[in-house]
Amino acid sequence: MTIERCFNDEQFTRRVPPLLTDLYQFTMAYAYWRTGRHQEPAVFELFFRDNPFGGGFSLFAGLHDCLLFLRSFRLTDQDVEFLRSVLPPDTDPAFFQFLRGLDCSGVTLRSVPEGTVVFARVPLMEVSGPLAVVQLLETSLLCLVNYASLVCSNAARFRLAAGPKRKLLEMGLRRAQGPDGGLTASRYTYIGGFDFSSNVQAGFLFGIPVAGTMAHSYITSFTSLEEVWPQVSMCSLLQSKDPVDIISLTKGWLSRVCELLGAEPGKISEGELASFLSYAIAYPQNFLPVIDSYSVACSGLLNFCAVALALCELGYRPVGVRLDSGDLCRQSVDVHRVFRLCSEHFSISAFDSLIIVGTNNITEQSMAELNKKENAIDVVGVGTHLVTCTQQPSLGCVYKLVEVRGKPKMKISEDPEKSTVPGRKAVYRLVDAEGHPFLDLVCLAAESPPEVGGSLNCYPLRCDDSCISVIPAHVACLRQDVFTRGQVRTARGCSKVEMSRPVAVS
């Protein structure tokens, strides 16, 4: 994804200031400073312990925000005065002068590229620099990566369930965990494989294509055709420029549609027809109404066809319809059948290209079921279950110390699952002769990198005894230097997303 517009440092600092962290980061920083250890070189690693949603992979996201955070990391006088008020009163006043001068000029970040397929236990980011500073970064970096990667991975799962052809619309802003959660979701679901977002601010900031037409409230706000204004209001693109009586034209088409389908005109909602007409007058080239406010079969579909046929007669091209309740698969088939009948009976070829949008509390499971049932849905809108990640609330990324002053550090823990692997590491992605990644290799940074064509004995992570032997046709270093000496370095993005599995070298 190319970010066409993004936050500048000042905007981002307001969104993710240095104080957006846990208090104990500052108490630890003070203790490091008090004992003279704050400048010791240290290395932390960021990773997650289990693949999300019970699946086999995750997508790494949030790097762009992390880089902006590092570049803009500075405490203001106001920040420092607040810390003075909340830290214990016996804190040495000189510490606050130290905080005022902190920045990330001594920090180096090596990271997997944004959007890369990644796996549990593989170090995604390595943060090195002065001990006190890299300690202070922990909570903020975790906050920026955890949800971004989780929702991006969730989007990828929806994309896999939907298949490559069906378009996906993210529309979860109203259900998101606050404004920032909604904006983050829109951005990273686009990276995860969605095609559009309903979020206008996301479109403005990030260049994401936005989409949307109308809600049920618009439909139900109309009562009769008398509310359509002006009554004679549309010009034909094909004939004269004189205004056309669009209401009379639509009524004529409605009668013909009812006759074709054997429908009862008395069951049709006049208010719904008025809303369709009013919207069509406003946006004749972008006519895509929701048609289930009353009854799809008895009213919504008939009203749509009448207005759409009138638009076609005037040279405009309607877009399609949205279904938002009931059995979407069955209804979409019925709607498509009516479109085909109108196209054939009235010789209106534009009806062959009308699209059907489905939106109705879509889950990953229901998305997968669409492929198992007959349906004619072209676009699926997903909200709640996408942005809130209802199957799993957190990715569970952690940020662990692995080296200080060049010496490896390890957390053993009462829980073996929480034990860490000590030492600075390198991560390689091994590729087979056909160009497919098949394995992620984790080894100590001091070890020689794997050689192309050479045999490697590897031990899969979390397996004590098994050993596998592999011969890579190509070896790629998975992490790159993306931030050094206070500056963001250009990082190569992933051009192709494919899956492999992580192991540790023997």
Side-chain angles (χ1 to χ4, degrees):
M1 171 187 174
T2 300
I3 302 300
E4 297 181 1
R5 309 175 186 90
C6 61
F7 299 110
N8 58 36
D9 284 2
E10 182 180 353
Q11 290 173 316
F12 193 84
T13 301
R14 289 197 298 266
R15 176 173 171 248
V16 189
L19 293 189
L20 189 67
T21 189
D22 296 309
L23 180 62
Y24 77 172
Q25 306 294 3
F26 285 102
T27 60
M28 285 188 288
Y30 175 68
Y32 288 140
W33 178 85
R34 192 73 177 79
T35 56
R37 299 189 58 209
H38 55 289
Q39 294 288 0
E40 290 182 0
V43 180
F44 283 82
E45 291 177 345
L46 187 151
F47 61 93
F48 57 91
R49 295 190 175 103
D50 297 292
N51 293 317
F53 309 111
F57 74 98
S58 177
L59 291 187
F60 172 67
L63 175 60
H64 182 265
D65 287 344
C66 290
L67 295 175
L68 288 178
F69 170 69
L70 294 178
R71 190 170 66 183
S72 62
F73 183 88
R74 288 177 186 80
L75 285 91
T76 65
D77 290 334
Q78 188 176 9
D79 295 335
V80 172
E81 286 308 307
F82 177 76
L83 288 171
R84 194 190 302 271
S85 72
V86 295
L87 288 174
D90 54 350
T91 303
D92 190 330
F95 175 64
F96 299 105
Q97 288 299 113
F98 164 73
L99 289 179
R100 187 64 182 91
L102 278 185
D103 60 23
C104 288
S105 58
V107 173
T108 297
L109 173 62
R110 291 177 57 80
S111 176
V112 170
E114 191 107 64
T116 302
V117 172
V118 292
F119 306 94
R121 302 277 170 172
V122 173
L124 309 178
M125 299 173 70
E126 178 192 270
V127 186
S128 59
L131 179 57
V133 177
V134 291
Q135 180 70 71
L136 284 171
L137 301 177
E138 175 184 5
T139 302
S140 302
L141 293 178
L142 287 172
C143 180
L144 292 170
V145 170
N146 257 312
Y147 177 65
S149 296
L150 184 71
V151 76
C152 190
S153 304
N154 201 24
R157 292 178 65 87
F158 273 90
R159 167 50 68 195
L160 291 172
K165 295 182 179 180
R166 186 171 281 124
K167 298 292 185 180
L168 296 179
L169 166 66
E170 177 273 315
M171 46 187 291
L173 178 59
R174 66 187 59 194
R175 305 289 171 81
Q177 291 95 334
D180 188 71
L183 192 61
T184 302
S186 297
R187 179 180 185 185
Y188 290 108
T189 54
Y190 183 63
I191 292 178
F194 273 59
D195 301 284
F196 314 99
S197 173
S198 67
N199 188 338
V200 179
Q201 180 73 352
F204 172 71
L205 289 173
F206 309 125
I208 297 172
V210 293
T213 53
M214 68 179 71
H216 293 100
S217 57
Y218 178 82
I219 308 293
T220 58
S221 72
F222 288 82
T223 304
S224 72
L225 290 172
E226 293 179 359
E227 295 169 288
V228 179
W229 188 260
Q231 296 279 304
V232 178
S233 55
M234 295 194 70
C235 294
S236 171
L237 295 180
L238 304 177
Q239 300 171 5
S240 69
K241 298 295 183 179
D242 296 331
V244 175
D245 185 346
I246 185 64
I247 294 179
S248 297
L249 181 62
T250 301
K251 283 182 175 180
W253 277 113
L254 184 57
S255 297
R256 296 170 69 181
V257 170
C258 288
E259 182 179 354
L260 173 65
L261 302 178
E264 299 180 36
K267 293 184 178 181
I268 295 174
S269 168
E270 183 177 330
E272 183 180 55
L273 179 59
S275 70
F276 287 5
L277 272 169
S278 295
Y279 196 89
I281 291 169
Y283 290 111
Q285 301 281 28
N286 192 41
F287 182 53
L288 193 155
V290 57
I291 62 172
D292 66 334
S293 297
Y294 301 108
S295 168
V296 172
C298 296
S299 182
L301 181 55
L302 302 172
N303 282 330
F304 168 80
C305 288
V307 176
L309 287 164
L311 289 174
C312 289
E313 182 176 335
L314 297 176
Y316 299 101
R317 198 172 188 90
V319 178
V321 300
R322 179 163 72 96
L323 299 168
D324 190 50
S325 61
D327 186 336
L328 299 182
C329 290
R330 177 186 58 78
Q331 288 184 104
S332 69
V333 171
D334 293 341
V335 168
H336 183 70
R337 178 183 60 81
V338 170
F339 288 169
R340 192 169 60 250
L341 281 174
C342 289
S343 173
E344 295 171 355
H345 186 78
F346 301 121
S347 299
I348 304 292
S349 60
F351 266 58
D352 294 328
S353 58
L354 292 172
I355 67 170
I356 300 173
V357 180
T359 57
N360 184 21
N361 203 32
I362 302 294
T363 65
E364 181 188 336
Q365 181 180 359
S366 62
M367 182 77 78
E369 289 173 354
L370 287 178
N371 294 328
K372 300 176 183 178
K373 298 179 180 180
E374 182 185 7
N375 72 86
I377 299 173
D378 303 288
V379 180
V380 178
V382 191
T384 303
H385 296 286
L386 174 65
V387 303
T388 64
C389 300
T390 48
Q391 290 189 45
Q392 181 173 326
S394 174
L395 181 58
C397 286
V398 293
Y399 184 88
K400 297 301 179 183
L401 180 68
V402 296
E403 184 181 284
V404 177
R405 300 190 311 276
K407 297 180 180 179
K409 298 295 177 179
M410 179 180 183
K411 172 187 173 183
I412 298 177
S413 179
E414 296 291 339
D415 184 352
E417 288 294 308
K418 290 190 173 183
S419 297
T420 61
V421 180
R424 199 168 197 165
K425 303 170 191 69
V427 183
Y428 301 96
R429 181 153 288 179
L430 308 187
V431 182
D432 63 22
E434 296 180 351
H436 299 140
F438 68 91
L439 182 146
D440 282 357
L441 188 70
V442 180
C443 56
L444 292 175
E447 295 181 274
S448 299
E451 296 182 0
V452 171
S455 179
L456 288 170
N457 291 325
C458 307
Y459 293 87
L461 291 175
R462 305 171 75 177
C463 296
D464 296 331
D465 300 323
S466 62
C467 176
I468 60 174
S469 180
V470 298
I471 301 177
H474 178 72
V475 177
C477 185
L478 199 56
R479 296 187 310 204
Q480 306 165 17
D481 286 339
V482 293
F483 186 89
T484 57
R485 299 177 181 176
Q487 298 298 319
V488 175
R489 298 183 58 177
T490 302
R492 174 186 57 81
C494 273
S495 59
K496 189 174 184 180
V497 173
E498 294 193 66
M499 301 180 191
S500 58
R501 56 195 176 94
V503 300
V505 70
S506 60

